[in-house]
Amino acid sequence: MTTANIQPDPTHTTAMARRAKWGSFIGTAIEWYDFYLYGTAAALVFNQVFFTDFDGPTGTLLSLMTFSAGFIARPVGGIVMGHFGDRIGRKSMLVLSLMTMGIATTLIGFLPTYATIGIWAPLLLVLLRVIQGFGVGGEWGGAVLVAVEHAPKTKKGLAGSWPQVGVPVGLFMANAVFMIMNFIIGPEEFVAWGWRVGFLGSALLIAVGLIIRLKMEETPDFAEVKETAQVAKFPIAEMFRTQWRRLLLAAGVKISQNAIFYIITVFVLTYVGESLGMSDDVALVGVMIACVISVFSLMFFGWISDQFGRRRTYLFGAIASAVFAYPMFALMDTRNVVLIAVAIVLAFIFHDAMYGPQASFMTEMFETKVRYTGTSLGYQFASTIAGAVSPVLAVYLLQVGNDRPWLVALYMIGVSIVTIVATILSPETHRGNRRKPAKIDRIADKDSGQPYRPVSEAHTSQPADAKVPETP
């Protein structure tokens, strides 16, 4: 008997889906708090703590390069945890990723400074950042799969937005810790020791996250694959053999969102503080306001994708982000506190039109038995080539442009064009992909030797030629 013949208890199924949403959201918020805490510290503090022998701009550049180091390990984490997530289950990898991230973040809080141990300080900082990257490399794929695979077909976009909401919540907490400590003890004491509080506090948050995630159930989609003995022996090999084109499309879809996100959350802190000569709190407050609004806009765009499709929603976000690149910097260059906040908030909203439906859009591109691997690798590959370099590249482009941001805006437009093209070529996965598949999607299925079927239906026990009634 397969799971397809079992009629689950609706009440139990609803409770499982609810726990999955909250578990993925809370765990993701904690993990991204850890990850972005580092990004905020790299932009504001680490150049004064771990790179004291260098001038201001060089120290800032080196500090942001250590931020980028975490991205190097993210594809590795995605491959390793994706493999075991497709082999033994989603839940165990989510617990492992949370522990890995928490231990690395807490240890950063104990690191001696450059003045104490010299070159070993930045070297150990980079090592712990790489471990952070490995942990977060397997986090996103598992979190979104838990949320999406538990959800009914008509609500997968909204369900997938829940772990996405964990990102602005984590970012808000990271910035709030820095602002509060800076306000209470003052800038000098904050640089001396106050920045460590946020990192050390991660230990408590991780404990809470582990309790919640250990109570989560395995997803019904993976349970069905395991029940029917369809578990892939080597998920990454099978994914590259049969769905490598979809992997490239998933990465292309991700690039603009990821690059622009780190520009508006990391580079902007440096731009407002150093290039515009304003208080660090100006940009931090703008980001925090945007994070609060983002909690609602992410869910809104996830819901919109359930109503009108993933591609339409995603294209709106990519096009709007490209159009807004120059106006964003024009608003910030006014040095008006309100307009700077408006610029950051609008940039976030356009970004959220991509990030809200991204979880359902990307996961539905892959078959269940290789979904953890495909989703994680597509996400982390794009993060490595976009998010890892965008803050550093933006600082460099700002210097080349004589402290004017026009080249940074041009870069934002360029990555948005890549995502627009990838989104157009991607299949519409909304509600079982009823539309005629894109040419590249038909080619991808031809490579695997299988007749075309929507990915979101490929793991079910229905035959390929089964008739599915149309929804009005």
Side-chain angles (χ1 to χ4, degrees):
M1 179 181 291
T2 68
T3 56
N5 297 322
I6 299 175
Q7 299 299 321
D9 176 23
T11 303
H12 178 64
T13 301
T14 301
M16 288 172 60
R18 187 182 303 113
R19 282 195 294 270
K21 288 190 299 186
W22 281 104
S24 62
F25 158 67
I26 293 174
T28 302
I30 294 171
E31 287 231 27
W32 289 109
Y33 161 80
D34 289 349
F35 201 75
Y36 294 133
L37 189 71
Y38 189 104
T40 306
L44 303 178
V45 178
F46 285 171
N47 60 325
Q48 305 173 62
V49 177
F50 296 104
F51 301 97
T52 54
D53 280 3
F54 301 91
D55 61 77
T58 303
T60 300
L61 188 61
L62 290 171
S63 180
L64 290 176
M65 287 178 70
T66 68
F67 171 78
S68 299
F71 289 86
I72 298 174
R74 284 175 65 165
V76 179
I79 291 172
V80 173
M81 294 191 189
H83 172 84
F84 290 104
D86 282 328
R87 291 281 298 160
I88 64 178
R90 317 324 193 185
K91 176 181 173 179
S92 57
M93 292 301 102
L94 284 178
V95 171
L96 176 61
S97 69
L98 193 62
M99 290 181 62
T100 302
M101 175 65 80
I103 292 171
T105 304
T106 304
L107 289 177
I108 289 175
F110 287 107
L111 271 184
T113 65
Y114 187 91
T116 304
I117 60 173
I119 192 64
W120 285 104
L123 290 178
L124 289 173
L125 181 68
V126 170
L127 174 62
L128 292 174
R129 179 60 176 174
V130 168
I131 295 174
Q132 271 194 329
F134 180 87
V136 83
E139 160 66 23
W140 187 83
V144 299
L145 289 187
V146 165
V148 173
E149 290 184 348
H150 272 291
K153 182 183 295 185
T154 57
K155 296 182 180 179
K156 289 185 180 295
L158 178 60
S161 69
W162 275 74
Q164 309 295 70
V165 169
V167 173
V169 171
L171 181 59
F172 179 91
M173 292 192 300
N175 287 340
V177 166
F178 270 43
M179 280 194 64
I180 292 171
M181 289 302 300
N182 194 28
F183 176 77
I184 292 175
I185 64 178
E188 292 185 4
E189 290 299 313
F190 179 74
V191 173
W193 62 269
W195 64 271
R196 299 180 184 273
V197 174
F199 289 89
L200 297 176
S202 174
L204 178 60
L205 294 176
I206 294 299
V208 173
L210 284 175
I211 292 173
I212 294 171
R213 284 199 164 172
L214 287 171
K215 293 181 179 180
M216 293 168 56
E217 295 90 351
E218 190 53 79
T219 72
D221 286 21
F222 179 78
E224 181 179 348
V225 167
K226 196 170 183 179
E227 178 88 11
T228 55
Q230 297 180 35
V231 176
K233 187 174 183 180
F234 297 106
I236 189 170
E238 183 162 342
M239 189 270 300
F240 273 115
R241 181 175 61 84
T242 63
Q243 298 184 40
W244 64 269
R245 285 184 175 86
R246 292 191 181 184
L247 176 66
L248 293 179
L249 290 175
V253 163
K254 171 73 178 172
I255 282 177
S256 175
Q257 172 269 312
N258 199 245
I260 289 176
F261 180 80
Y262 286 108
I263 285 177
I264 60 179
T265 59
V266 178
F267 169 73
V268 162
L269 301 182
T270 299
Y271 181 72
V272 172
E274 296 185 6
S275 297
L276 300 183
M278 304 183 72
S279 169
D280 292 336
D281 288 346
V282 172
L284 282 175
V285 169
V287 170
M288 290 174 68
I289 293 172
C291 286
V292 174
I293 296 173
S294 184
V295 169
F296 303 98
S297 60
L298 283 170
M299 288 188 175
F300 172 75
F301 286 117
W303 175 81
I304 283 292
S305 77
D306 282 330
Q307 309 306 312
F308 302 104
R310 319 291 187 222
R311 295 202 314 160
R312 290 179 182 177
T313 310
Y314 216 98
L315 279 173
F316 165 75
I319 293 171
S321 294
V323 171
F324 189 62
Y326 281 104
M328 181 185 79
F329 285 108
L331 289 171
M332 288 192 287
D333 285 346
T334 63
R335 289 182 169 82
N336 182 290
V337 175
V338 175
L339 292 181
I340 290 174
V342 169
I344 295 173
V345 168
L346 288 176
F348 253 86
I349 290 174
F350 298 143
H351 158 273
D352 291 348
M354 293 183 282
Y355 202 54
Q358 187 178 100
S360 54
F361 193 22
M362 290 179 65
T363 58
E364 290 167 343
M365 288 186 185
F366 300 95
E367 293 182 9
T368 307
K369 60 182 177 180
V370 296
R371 187 173 289 161
Y372 202 137
T373 299
T375 302
S376 295
L377 198 54
Y379 184 98
Q380 303 306 341
F381 176 68
S383 297
T384 302
I385 63 177
V389 302
S390 61
V392 178
L393 182 59
V395 170
Y396 173 74
L397 291 174
L398 187 66
Q399 293 176 351
V400 173
N402 294 319
D403 219 29
R404 303 302 303 161
W406 66 276
L407 286 174
V408 181
L410 189 62
Y411 168 70
M412 294 170 66
I413 294 172
V415 293
S416 294
I417 291 174
V418 172
T419 289
I420 290 169
V421 172
T423 304
I424 291 173
L425 293 175
S426 296
E428 174 57 83
T429 62
H430 170 54
R431 294 187 181 179
N433 196 4
R434 292 196 304 264
R435 74 169 189 86
K436 184 178 179 181
K439 180 179 179 181
I440 193 167
D441 207 47
R442 297 198 302 270
I443 294 173
D445 290 305
K446 184 178 179 181
D447 287 347
S448 65
Q450 300 294 326
Y452 173 80
R453 280 195 296 158
V455 172
S456 58
E457 297 175 359
H459 65 278
T460 67
S461 58
Q462 286 184 314
D465 57 353
K467 294 184 178 178
V468 180
E470 287 287 332
T471 303

